[in-house]
Amino acid sequence: MSLRNPGEQGNPYGDLELTDPKAMRALSHPVRLAILSRLQRYGAATATELSEHVGATPSVTSWHLRHLAGFGLVRDSGTGGDARKRYWEASTRGFRFDFPDDEEGRAASQVLSQALFAQYADAPQRWMTGVEPRLEPEWRREAGVSNTGVRLTVAELAAVNAAIEQVLAPYVTRDAADQPPDARHVRLMRYVMPEAEER
């Protein structure tokens, strides 16, 4: 497991890179994914505060937090004035992982991929019913779905993915103090699904 600098090629967001199959399997638990997503989106919180949003009791949430901390995914934030409350924060704004060549790594990355797909499977529907009707017209115009099929080589697909990340990187990595006052949280979900060769 390593952490690259934000401008480094291949990781312009400065995401935590998971290479350890044990870390991938640890994160693939739905409660742990929910904890990490909540901390990344809303900032530091206690196990009790998180428990309301992740479907677990405070003690179970605390156990999952310690497990995530063991892999460097979360850490003690050191915030809060009450010594009896422990505040946790995400170690980085995001994470990424590859599909390794070894069997253990491949299996772990598949488990994590499946967990991520499952976590966000209903996100578009929840957005359509709960958020989209309340958006102002100018925000509604910029939202939506694109479904584009294109024939690419592996190298071309890698170049497309890298170009998209380079465009987004300045917005992903800018400090909160540099964000315009009318900026909003926007979830950009990008599914890249190459088709298998027909036999």
Side-chain angles (χ1 to χ4, degrees):
M1 188 164 48
S2 64
L3 181 61
R4 289 185 184 171
N5 295 322
E8 195 165 337
Q9 186 178 9
N11 188 355
Y13 304 159
D15 288 342
L16 182 69
E17 293 196 349
L18 299 178
T19 58
D20 180 355
K22 290 178 183 167
M24 292 183 208
R25 288 189 183 277
L27 186 54
S28 66
H29 191 286
V31 171
R32 291 182 202 138
L33 271 175
I35 288 170
L36 186 59
S37 294
R38 184 87 190 166
L39 291 175
Q40 288 171 334
R41 172 70 177 89
Y42 295 101
T46 66
T48 300
E49 292 167 348
L50 288 165
S51 68
E52 307 170 26
H53 305 282
V54 301
T57 65
S59 60
V60 170
T61 302
S62 181
W63 182 83
H64 283 304
L65 280 161
R66 289 192 303 275
H67 202 68
L68 289 168
F71 290 102
L73 292 159
V74 301
R75 62 187 174 216
D76 192 318
S77 74
T79 58
D82 189 342
R84 295 168 298 175
K85 293 182 179 179
R86 186 174 187 183
Y87 283 82
W88 296 87
E89 66 183 2
S91 300
T92 57
R93 68 175 51 89
F95 67 90
R96 61 182 61 210
F97 60 99
D98 289 324
F99 282 79
D101 292 331
D102 64 288
E103 189 173 332
E104 182 187 10
R106 258 195 326 271
S109 61
Q110 281 184 319
V111 169
L112 181 51
S113 289
Q114 289 167 357
L116 287 166
F117 273 106
Q119 181 189 35
Y120 293 109
D122 66 341
Q125 186 61 45
R126 284 187 283 120
W127 178 83
M128 285 292 297
T129 58
V131 178
E132 194 268 348
R134 297 184 287 120
L135 286 177
E136 298 88 340
E138 62 271 22
W139 283 96
R140 193 176 291 132
R141 275 192 294 274
E142 296 303 323
V145 176
S146 65
N147 183 356
T148 305
V150 59
R151 293 188 65 84
L152 300 169
T153 66
V154 170
E156 289 169 336
L157 179 55
V160 168
N161 284 332
I164 291 169
E165 288 199 339
Q166 289 299 327
V167 168
L168 288 174
Y171 304 101
V172 172
T173 59
R174 70 181 170 188
D175 291 331
D178 296 329
Q179 295 173 2
D182 59 342
R184 295 185 184 182
H185 182 77
V186 177
R187 172 72 60 188
L188 296 172
M189 303 180 76
R190 184 163 52 99
Y191 294 91
V192 180
M193 299 182 290
E195 295 180 4
E197 282 189 298
E198 293 184 17
R199 298 186 189 277

